[in-house]
Amino acid sequence: MGENNPNPMGNSEQNQTPQITVKVDRWFSTKEIIFGVLILLLLAYIAVSWFRDNALTLDTRESIDSAILEHSVREIGELATLSYSYETIVVVDEQNTVDIFGIEFNVPGTARSLIITFEGRMRFGIDMDEVRITISEQDENMYNMRISLPNPTIQTHEIDMESILLLDERAGIFVSFDLEDYTHFIADRKEYVETRTSTQNLVSQARESAQRSIYIFLRNLLDEEYYDISFNWI
């Protein structure tokens, strides 16, 4: 008897290699990724351009409420529009007198004089809470926007304390100067400077500065192509 072969088919199956199929996902190449990004950027540019040209259509512009614009403008707060620096001098020359039969006589020992210089700075601005905006239709493609603003006023007036310089001081036997006198003289001079500036062109300059600031602010909110903006001072 021959030996039994455990593999009746012989050794042919032992020599066969099993077939394994591996599925590999396809990765995009660098060129394809760059091309895709460029397409997305182009689509984004087209969308933004369309929105800018068509977002403010007639119906949309009609829905813009002047109250909304007023609120946006007021968010600027107290708009400081102009800064004015100056140097001034205080001259004091006093002496007590007495009236005798309608004739004034100087009282000896009561003469005093003082010369002080100092620097100050004023800031002119407008109160944005008082801004009023009205919008009216000019034609089917244009609107009139009228902005009413309060006149600029002095918002701050500061004295540079380090700039105060005493040039001359002379006191009499019975009179002299104290800190309260200095404070009073400087306060009077500040008031004089404020009154004097009202006759200068500072207010006009402050107006121009405020108009320019508000115009630039609104231009960033609206398409100026559709709005004729004018200013009125109240």
Side-chain angles (χ1 to χ4, degrees):
M1 296 179 61
E3 294 181 358
N4 292 332
N5 190 346
N7 186 357
M9 302 296 298
N11 296 328
S12 61
E13 289 187 3
Q14 294 178 355
N15 297 328
Q16 292 181 355
T17 302
Q19 301 294 322
I20 300 176
T21 301
V22 179
K23 183 179 180 182
V24 179
D25 292 334
R26 177 177 179 274
W27 295 91
F28 292 103
S29 66
T30 303
K31 292 183 178 179
E32 290 175 326
I33 294 175
I34 295 176
F35 180 75
V37 171
L38 291 176
I39 291 296
L40 291 176
L41 291 176
L42 178 60
L43 292 176
Y45 174 78
I46 294 174
V48 171
S49 300
W50 180 91
F51 179 81
R52 178 172 179 82
D53 295 336
N54 298 278
L56 286 178
T57 59
L58 180 61
D59 293 338
T60 305
R61 293 196 301 272
E62 285 180 346
S63 66
I64 295 179
D65 189 357
S66 59
I68 297 177
L69 291 178
E70 286 180 4
H71 176 75
S72 298
V73 171
R74 289 171 185 171
E75 289 298 316
I76 302 177
E78 191 177 89
L79 181 62
T81 60
L82 182 67
S83 180
Y84 171 67
S85 299
Y86 66 90
E87 183 177 2
T88 188
I89 184 171
V90 177
V91 178
V92 178
D93 190 2
E94 299 177 340
Q95 184 168 8
N96 294 341
T97 61
V98 60
D99 187 303
I100 301 176
F101 301 110
I103 301 176
E104 289 189 353
F105 294 93
N106 293 330
V107 178
T110 62
R112 65 176 184 172
S113 61
L114 180 71
I115 300 178
I116 298 176
T117 64
F118 64 87
E119 297 176 2
R121 174 176 294 180
M122 293 187 297
R123 295 178 64 192
F124 289 80
I126 59 175
D127 186 357
M128 302 303 293
D129 287 337
E130 298 183 18
V131 174
R132 297 293 180 269
I133 298 178
T134 56
I135 302 175
S136 60
E137 184 177 356
Q138 181 176 346
D139 53 47
E140 60 181 6
N141 293 318
M142 180 63 67
Y143 284 82
N144 292 322
M145 180 179 295
R146 187 178 182 87
I147 304 174
S148 298
L149 301 170
N151 277 308
T153 58
I154 300 174
Q155 303 296 329
T156 60
H157 188 176
E158 301 174 349
I159 300 299
D160 183 1
M161 303 304 294
E162 295 183 357
S163 70
I164 299 177
L165 181 60
L166 178 62
L167 299 180
D168 183 66
E169 180 180 1
R170 298 180 183 180
I173 299 175
F174 305 108
V175 292
S176 62
F177 296 101
D178 55 24
L179 181 59
E180 184 177 352
D181 291 325
Y182 299 144
T183 303
H184 172 72
F185 295 144
I186 292 176
D188 283 349
R189 195 63 183 179
K190 285 179 59 178
E191 184 177 352
Y192 169 79
V193 173
E194 293 178 2
T195 304
R196 180 170 174 267
T197 55
S198 64
T199 62
Q200 300 179 1
N201 63 348
L202 295 177
V203 173
S204 297
Q205 295 180 29
R207 285 182 175 182
E208 294 177 1
S209 179
Q211 289 182 185
R212 182 168 56 252
S213 299
I214 295 175
Y215 180 80
I216 293 175
F217 178 79
L218 289 175
R219 189 176 61 184
N220 293 329
L221 295 178
L222 305 170
D223 191 339
E224 59 181 332
E225 177 183 355
Y226 301 107
Y227 291 89
D228 183 13
I229 300 177
S230 63
F231 291 87
N232 176 48
W233 295 94
I234 55 177

